[in-house]
Each structure stands twice: as C-alpha cells, then as structure tokens.
Amino acid sequence: MLCHVLRAPRTTCSVRSIPARTPLHVEPLTVSLAFQIRRLARHSAIYGLGGILSRILAVLPLPLYTSYLGTRGFGKIELVTVLTTVLVIVLSAGISSAFFRFYFDSKDDARRTLIVRTTFWFTMAMATLGLLAGIVFASPTAHALGLGNDPWLVRAAAVGLWAQMNYQQLTNLFRVEERSVQFVAASIANILITVGATVLLVVGLHKGATGAVVGNFLGTLAVYLVLLVYRRYQLGLQFDGRLLREMNRFGLPLVPSALALWAISFIDRLFVGAYKGIAEVGVYSLAVRVSSVIVFLMIAFRLAWPAFAYSIDDDSTAKRTYSYVLTYLLFICCWISIALGTLAPWLVQILAPSKPAFYRADEAVGVLAFGTTAYAGYTVLAIGIGRARQTQFNWIVSGIAAVVNIALNFALIPPYGMMGAAVSTAAAYVTLFLGMTINSQRVYPVPYQWRRVLTLSGVAIALTAVGYELRSLPLSIALCLVYPLLLLPLGFYLPAERARLRRLVPLRG
C-alpha cells in the first residue's frame, strides 16, 4: 500500500528534480506574493493534514497510557526522550540543514545525487555509532538518568535513535522534491504502526515505559526499511569526503545552537525531576503534550519552509515574502494559543479522565503555547542567516537564550515546580526571538511588519489571561472565535486584506 502511494522513481541514476516548468526559480516580476504564500500554504497544509491525522492517532490512546504508565512511567519516557534528542543533535552534526542548503545551491542532477549519497552514508555511520554507544553504556546511563536498574529502556531508546536519524534523512528527500503527499503517506504509515505496537506492548503485554519506547521506534523502523527499498537506486556506494567537509563547515556551527535550543526545550524536565521528583515531570509532560498542538503546526510549517524559502532566487521577492510569512504564522499560532490556554482545564481532563493527579497540568499550557509561538517566529527569522550562509554566530543567540532558561530554572522551579519551568521556557523562547531578530537583521535585513506582530500578540495574550481566570467553557469558546474580529478596529488588517475579507464575507447593507 505504502509502496503504491510512493511510486518508485523513474530514473535509476539521479535524484528526482523539480521540473523546470515549476515556477521556483523565476524573475520576481512573474511571481506574485500571493502565489508564493499559496505555494507555502499548500505544502504546509498537506504536511499539516498528515500531522493532524498523526496527532489524532497518537492522542487517542493517551488516556490508556496515562492509566497504565502513571506519572512515573511518563517521567521515564520523558527523560530518555531528552537523552536521545541530545544525541541526535550531536551525531547529526548539522548535516540536515547543510543538505537543504547545498541541494538547492546545485542545479545539476549528478551533483544533487552526490549530495544525497554523501549525506546518507554519513548519517548511517553516525547513527550506528550512537546505537553501539547506547547498547554498551546502557546500565550506567540508566543510573545517571535516575531510571533505576532499567538498562533495556536505554537500549530501546538507542535503537529508536538509529531509526529516527536514518528515517529523517530519507524523508528529507521528499521535502526537497516538494512531494508533500508522499511524505505524509510515510508519516501516517509510521504512526499507525507505532500506535498499534505501543498499545499492544503497553496495554496488552504490560511492558511499561520500555514497551512504549519500543512501540515508538517499530513504526519508524518499518517505514524506513520500505523507503530504503524505494530509494535504492539513489543511495548507491558513492561518498565525497571533500563535499562532506564543505557541508560540515556549514552545519557544524549549528550544532552548539541546536544544543542550546535543546536546553531550552528539554532541560527543564531534568530540573523538575531533580527538585520535585519524577512524578512532577509526568504532570509537566502532559502540559507539554497539550501545548504541542503549536509544535505540530510548527512541524508542518518547518517541513515546507526550508525548501520554499531557499527556492526563491530573487532577494527582494524573498524578503517581501518572508515579512508576510512571519505575520501570518504568528497570527495563526497566537489564535491556537488562545484556544489551548483558555480550554486547557477541559483538555487535560479529557486526556487523563481517571487521574486527577494530572489536572494541575492545565496551569502551564497557555504559557508553553505562547512560548512555542515565539519559537515559531524564530524559525522564520533564522532562514535569512542560512540564506546568507552566516551561521557561525547562531550559537551566541541561542546560547544567551539557554543561559536565561537555566538561570530561571534554578530560580523558579524550587518554589513553583512545573509552573516555574513553563515560565522559564517561555522567557527563553522570547529571548531567542529577540536575539535572532537582531542577528538576522544585521546579516540579511528584512522589512518585517513589527506593528502588526505586536498587535496580534498583545490581544492574544490578554484574551487568554481573561479566559483562563474566568474558567467558563462558553466564554472560552467565544474568546477564541472573536480574536480575528477584535484585531479589526486596531488597524491590524491591510487594505488588500480587508478587501479579500469583504469578498469572503459580503456585508449586507
């Protein structure tokens, strides 16, 4: 079924290129802003649809997991997730970002094939190194993380790391080819196998946290093997050390930055575990999962964003497009944040219906959602750095944000627990956004629409605060619905946007 959807490549010697007739590299006068936004929206929507289906399939069994794993089981899974995320960043060495930049810099099919093969074998080697290290050092790692005498949980996470790194590299090919439907087909197949295996292992066989981790990588591993067969002609025995060194010069400076981003996103779990115990980590992880609806939107956007952003050759067209993308992305993220923040008490009870110990998680959802919204804006701002190939200073921006996060974790988590962690994370993401604004404007100035950004953000935060404090379900729903309307008298919409809105919703005289 999956192979039928993917359809084997027609050529046996080169990576499938976007046909020349596709309007990716054209003069700015022939490509309107509306066309560029529609193209980004189309691919983001397809990725998003796949993400919605994947999220639904992943969330449906969550009440079962909370019942069978409890707060301690959730906490264990969260800690090994933190570990594998760090290892993926270090072992990948920024090769994924370099892959996108070098692929679009090359217009020659043979050169693109070489880039694909070199990236594939480098990723395979580094993932295998991580797998072996995880197997050999499983016992001391388990004790260091506070997992007790549970080395098999670490070994399972190591296998998951290997599968994740290799799977991601193969699916990146669909992204550069702008074949979003095929990417989504692979993702849905992955999540279907994952959910089925996890329910069987956790609920049916009572394998606990280890069963959840094993179930998670079984789907990734199965789909990876299918993709390996599908891409077999493009993954030949070809490797260019000189090309790899060039790609590493681009990608390696991004590793410290990525580690700092990891610290902002995950290190709070370690602080919460150390100060408040692993059960508090479990409660906090539920808040993170509820707010991760924004993360899902970001993933859909980020899957389409690099290929789209780098494919616009003309700088003036690119800058104008980027400015509108930032405004529209933050508008959508803020709107969703209002919904998550105001409806959090009811969402948490739905996801943990028989576990009142989880209900406190609703306090942190809104803060985390708006923090992630700031990070969404950061991803748009950072593309200018990659476009200018000036990545060497990214670590300073992300490093400052990480220091802010760690300092606030020390200060806020002991007295406030998971809420202190949520505030620390949100503050770090805002710092990251502001720092990248300064850095990107220095390297690649873009006329972003700051008045509109401040307007939409301020109104969204105010509505969320009101809705959460009053805790009325009808009022919360109403606040979500009126958000776009409240922006109208504040002069948020441009004349062209108001004209489009009037055409969509004609006013009766």
Side-chain angles (χ1 to χ4, degrees), residues 166 191 245 386:
N166 287 293
I191 198 68
R245 287 191 293 274

Side-chain angles (χ1 to χ4, degrees), residues 290-291 293-294 331-348 362 365-366 369-370 460-461 463-465 467-468 473 475-481 483:
V290 175
S291 64
V293 173
I294 299 288
F331 170 77
I332 294 171
C333 288
C334 281
W335 199 355
I336 296 175
S337 295
I338 297 171
L340 294 174
T342 56
L343 299 174
W346 298 276
L347 294 174
V348 167
D362 67 357
V365 171
F370 278 104
I461 293 171
L463 290 178
T464 304
Y468 182 79
L473 181 58
L475 177 62
S476 296
I477 295 173
L479 291 175
C480 296
L481 295 176
Y483 173 60

Side-chain angles (χ1 to χ4, degrees), residues 316-351:
S316 62
T317 303
K319 290 180 178 182
R320 184 164 181 260
T321 303
Y322 296 173
S323 70
Y324 278 87
V325 168
L326 178 67
T327 302
Y328 294 153
L329 179 65
L330 291 181
F331 170 77
I332 294 171
C333 288
C334 281
W335 199 355
I336 296 175
S337 295
I338 297 171
L340 294 174
T342 56
L343 299 174
W346 298 276
L347 294 174
V348 167
Q349 291 181 37
I350 290 172
L351 295 177

Side-chain angles (χ1 to χ4, degrees), residues 330-414:
L330 291 181
F331 170 77
I332 294 171
C333 288
C334 281
W335 199 355
I336 296 175
S337 295
I338 297 171
L340 294 174
T342 56
L343 299 174
W346 298 276
L347 294 174
V348 167
Q349 291 181 37
I350 290 172
L351 295 177
S354 61
K355 295 286 184 178
F358 280 104
Y359 292 174
R360 294 186 300 110
D362 67 357
E363 302 170 7
V365 171
V367 176
L368 289 170
F370 278 104
T372 308
T373 295
Y375 180 62
Y378 161 86
T379 62
V380 176
L381 297 169
I383 203 69
I385 302 293
R387 190 179 181 95
R389 290 202 179 190
Q390 299 293 320
T391 59
Q392 63 269 29
F393 298 113
N394 280 20
W395 68 271
I396 297 176
V397 174
S398 52
I400 292 172
V403 169
V404 169
N405 179 248
I406 293 171
L408 290 176
N409 279 332
F410 275 117
L412 299 179
I413 290 178

Side-chain angles (χ1 to χ4, degrees), residues 56 59 101 104 119 155 158 194 197-198 202 245 300 321 347 354 367 475 492 501:
I56 291 172
V59 168
R101 193 68 189 105
F104 280 103
T119 304
R155 293 186 182 109
T194 294
T198 305
V202 173
R245 287 191 293 274
T321 303
L347 294 174
S354 61
V367 176
L475 177 62
F492 170 78
L501 288 174

Side-chain angles (χ1 to χ4, degrees), residues 247-314:
M247 296 178 76
N248 282 339
R249 277 195 292 271
F250 179 93
L252 281 174
L254 298 175
V255 173
S257 177
L259 288 173
L261 292 175
W262 165 84
I264 296 170
S265 301
F266 290 102
I267 205 171
D268 51 1
R269 275 69 144 190
L270 300 179
F271 277 92
V272 172
Y275 283 117
K276 296 296 182 178
I278 201 165
E280 183 82 350
V281 177
V283 177
Y284 184 52
S285 69
L286 184 60
V288 172
R289 279 168 169 74
V290 175
S291 64
S292 68
V293 173
I294 299 288
V295 177
F296 140 72
L297 173 65
M298 264 186 53
I299 291 173
F301 171 78
R302 289 179 66 186
L303 290 172
W305 178 235
F308 167 83
Y310 288 141
S311 70
I312 305 174
D313 278 344
D314 181 74

